[in-house]
């Protein structure tokens, strides 16, 4: 005889009562098996999936840039939304297309004149034949005599500075001694410049001066004070051998002329003294 079926109204053991709420049963009591549910109840949050919507912008670059900025740059670049940045392109003027184009009947070129004709026009800076502005303005310092005309050629030192430096009698005054005394401290381009003595001030000590150049006032004051003056030779400029040969011939020619003039002056002085 088959076993009685399990009914919900019949009393059940206390051990199986808590299982009825969580487990599903299949079959009779003899083939009682507990099958746990494999898919627990899950509430799907569909509102999150609906937040992002597909965006399609065609031939509107400004709208594409704004939408991509708002959405964090998630809009995909495609051939239908590529284009220049907004404001980077400007429509060209439509010249010669009537008054509606905005340039009037002569396209903005006026009635007559060279600039209204076709062709290249005039070059930059041309002022119709008069002296142009770039030629009327004065040139920069030093260009008239060469690019180095305005640059210093010597390291100048005055006599008053030498007197205050504390040189003793008989000492040598040169570029090296002035550097050791701390009177001059040339730097950069001035380190290769020679020394020049200027005549501002007075000197009472007899010294030996060696410099490339002396001003006329400095030379007179030094000779009056009994100082020895030595002019150092300058660095010779390189010239071509043919030019050097011609310069030597010219020096020889002028030396002969000076000697002849001095001899003539001596003979004239001798004749004048004899006649007297």
């Amino acid at each position: 005889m088959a076993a009685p079926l399990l009914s919900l109204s019949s009393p059940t053991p206390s051990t199986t009562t808590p299982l009825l709420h969580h487990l599903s049963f299949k079959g009779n009591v003899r083939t009682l098996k507990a099958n746990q549910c494999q898919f627990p109840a899950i509430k799907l949050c569909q509102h999150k999936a609906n937040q992002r919507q597909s965006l399609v912008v065609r031939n509107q670059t400004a709208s594409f840039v704004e939408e991509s900025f708002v959405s964090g740059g998630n809009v995909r670049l495609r051939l239908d939304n590529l284009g220049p940045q907004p404001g980077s392109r400007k429509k060209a003027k439509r010249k010669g297309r009537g008054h509606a184009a905005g340039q009037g009947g002569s396209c903005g070129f006026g009635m007559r004149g060279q600039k209204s004709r076709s062709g290249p026009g005039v070059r930059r800076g041309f002022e119709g034949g008069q002296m142009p502005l770039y030629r009327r303005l004065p040139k920069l310092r030093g260009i008239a005599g060469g690019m180095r005309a305005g640059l210093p050629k010597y390291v100048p030192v005055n006599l008053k500075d030498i007197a205050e430096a504390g040189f003793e009698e008989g000492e040598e005054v040169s570029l090296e001694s002035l550097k050791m005394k701390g009177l001059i401290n040339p730097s950069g381009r001035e380190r290769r410049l020679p020394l020049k003595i200027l005549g501002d001030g007075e000197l009472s000590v007899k010294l030996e001066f060696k410099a490339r150049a002396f001003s006329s006032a400095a030379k007179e004051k030094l000779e009056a004070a009994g100082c020895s003056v030595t002019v150092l030779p300058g660095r010779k400029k390189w010239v071509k051998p043919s030019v050097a040969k011609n310069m030597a011939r010219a020096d020889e020619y002028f030396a002969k002329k000076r000697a002849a003039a001095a001899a003539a002056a001596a003979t004239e002085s001798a004749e004048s003294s004899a006649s007297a």
Side-chain angles (χ1 to χ4, degrees), residues 67-83:
E67 293 294 337
S68 61
F69 178 76
V70 171
S71 60
N74 295 326
V75 181
R76 187 175 179 180
L77 289 173
R78 295 185 301 274
L79 292 177
D80 59 350
N81 58 22
L82 288 178

Side-chain angles (χ1 to χ4, degrees), residues 154-176:
Y154 299 98
V155 178
V157 178
N158 285 295
L159 292 179
K160 62 179 182 180
D161 300 329
I162 298 174
E164 294 174 357
F167 283 96
E168 296 181 359
E169 189 171 354
E171 286 188 348
E172 179 182 318
V173 178
S174 61
L175 192 64
E176 291 75 13

Side-chain angles (χ1 to χ4, degrees), residues 14-87:
S14 60
T15 57
T16 60
T17 302
L19 297 175
L20 292 175
H21 301 283
H22 304 283
L23 302 177
S24 60
F25 295 91
K26 186 177 181 181
N28 50 20
V29 181
R30 184 179 294 179
T31 59
L32 184 62
K33 292 182 179 180
N35 296 327
Q36 190 173 0
C37 183
Q38 299 292 333
F39 303 97
I42 299 175
K43 292 183 180 180
L44 299 177
C45 299
Q46 296 182 357
H47 64 281
K48 293 184 179 179
N50 295 331
Q51 284 182 354
R52 294 181 181 176
Q53 298 178 357
S54 60
L55 177 64
V56 178
V57 180
R58 296 184 179 180
N59 299 329
Q60 295 181 3
T61 308
S63 302
F64 164 70
V65 173
E66 293 176 0
E67 293 294 337
S68 61
F69 178 76
V70 171
S71 60
N74 295 326
V75 181
R76 187 175 179 180
L77 289 173
R78 295 185 301 274
L79 292 177
D80 59 350
N81 58 22
L82 288 178
Q85 292 291 332

Side-chain angles (χ1 to χ4, degrees), residues 5 24 38 40 57 65 69 100 109 112 119 138 146 163 176 182 186 190 207 210 246 250 259 269 273:
L5 296 175
S24 60
Q38 299 292 333
V57 180
V65 173
F69 178 76
F109 287 103
R112 287 176 294 275
E176 291 75 13
E190 295 181 353
L207 302 174
K210 292 183 179 180
N246 293 334
S269 62
S273 62

Side-chain angles (χ1 to χ4, degrees), residues 111-117:
M111 296 293 291
R112 287 176 294 275
Q114 186 178 8
K115 293 183 180 180
S116 67
R117 317 295 185 192

Side-chain angles (χ1 to χ4, degrees), residues 151-157 189-190 193-198 211-214:
L151 296 176
K153 299 179 180 178
Y154 299 98
V155 178
V157 178
R189 180 182 174 274
E190 295 181 353
L193 298 181
L195 177 65
K196 183 175 183 179
I197 305 298
L198 303 181
R212 177 75 63 84
F214 295 86

